[in-house]
Amino acid sequence: MKKRILALILFILVLSGCAGPAEEPSSSVGTSTRESVPKEEVETDFSDYIETPTIIYTTYSGENGLYDTGMYIDGVVKEKYEVNGLDALDIEAEEGIVSIRNISDEYPGWDDMQQQDKVRIYYVYKGYSGILTTGKPMGIYRGHEKLQDTSSSQP
């Protein structure tokens, strides 16, 4: 009985955000729409984005203090899919997989990425949840660039 109560309390804490936000809250239940970002707010300079730290694979954003941090990750697009009406993809790096969501049509290039593409994705980190979402760190897409495959170009 005590274990059930403890599990219920832990679940409520996670839902209330005490363990760190896992995703941006949505104002509509069951449906999602892309946000319209004014043109002047679209990020084009990623020089202050940091390389994805390994701590995001094992801790909540409330613990690691990285919620809303601009990051980039180099990896391979493993899968493109939809989550609650939003485009999403998984990018696999050496350290693990990050789920990236596209919530705005204002950030170019999303449709250019295909499975198995080697890319650097720029994103805003939103959190990690092993219970409520994907069991992976999650971020919001801000841009990308394709990376050269150098493994076979050298004799």
Side-chain angles (χ1 to χ4, degrees):
M1 181 68 173
K2 288 181 182 181
K3 287 183 182 180
R4 287 184 185 172
I5 292 172
L6 183 59
L8 180 61
I9 290 171
L10 180 61
F11 184 71
I12 290 170
L13 287 173
V14 169
L15 285 178
S16 69
C18 291
E23 291 189 44
E24 287 282 46
S26 175
S27 59
S28 58
V29 177
T31 61
S32 297
T33 57
R34 295 184 190 281
E35 67 183 36
S36 178
V37 178
K39 294 273 185 209
E40 64 273 9
E41 290 183 25
V42 174
E43 185 75 41
T44 57
D45 178 17
F46 301 111
S47 61
D48 60 340
Y49 278 46
I50 64 170
E51 185 174 359
T52 299
T54 57
I55 194 168
I56 72 164
Y57 296 98
T58 57
T59 61
Y60 296 109
S61 60
E63 266 179 73
N64 61 37
L66 295 170
Y67 182 76
D68 267 349
T69 299
M71 298 181 182
Y72 67 88
I73 184 170
D74 293 344
V76 176
V77 176
K78 294 311 278 184
E79 179 182 10
K80 289 182 93 170
Y81 52 98
E82 234 180 65
V83 177
N84 296 326
L86 295 175
D87 291 329
L89 65 77
D90 286 347
I91 180 165
E92 185 174 33
E94 240 178 75
E95 300 79 18
I97 296 174
V98 175
S99 178
I100 305 293
R101 311 285 166 85
N102 185 22
I103 65 170
S104 172
D105 290 329
E106 298 295 324
Y107 295 97
W110 180 268
D111 292 330
D112 298 337
M113 290 185 290
Q114 303 300 319
Q115 284 184 281
Q116 301 307 314
D117 282 353
K118 292 179 194 258
V119 295
R120 171 174 285 178
I121 294 182
Y122 299 96
Y123 67 98
V124 176
Y125 174 67
K126 291 299 180 181
Y128 167 86
S129 174
I131 299 172
L132 300 176
T133 59
T134 61
K136 311 172 240 211
M138 197 274 292
I140 305 300
Y141 178 78
R142 291 298 182 254
H144 82 281
E145 58 188 88
K146 293 206 176 186
L147 299 175
Q148 293 281 341
D149 182 5
T150 59
S151 61
S152 61
S153 64
Q154 298 285 336

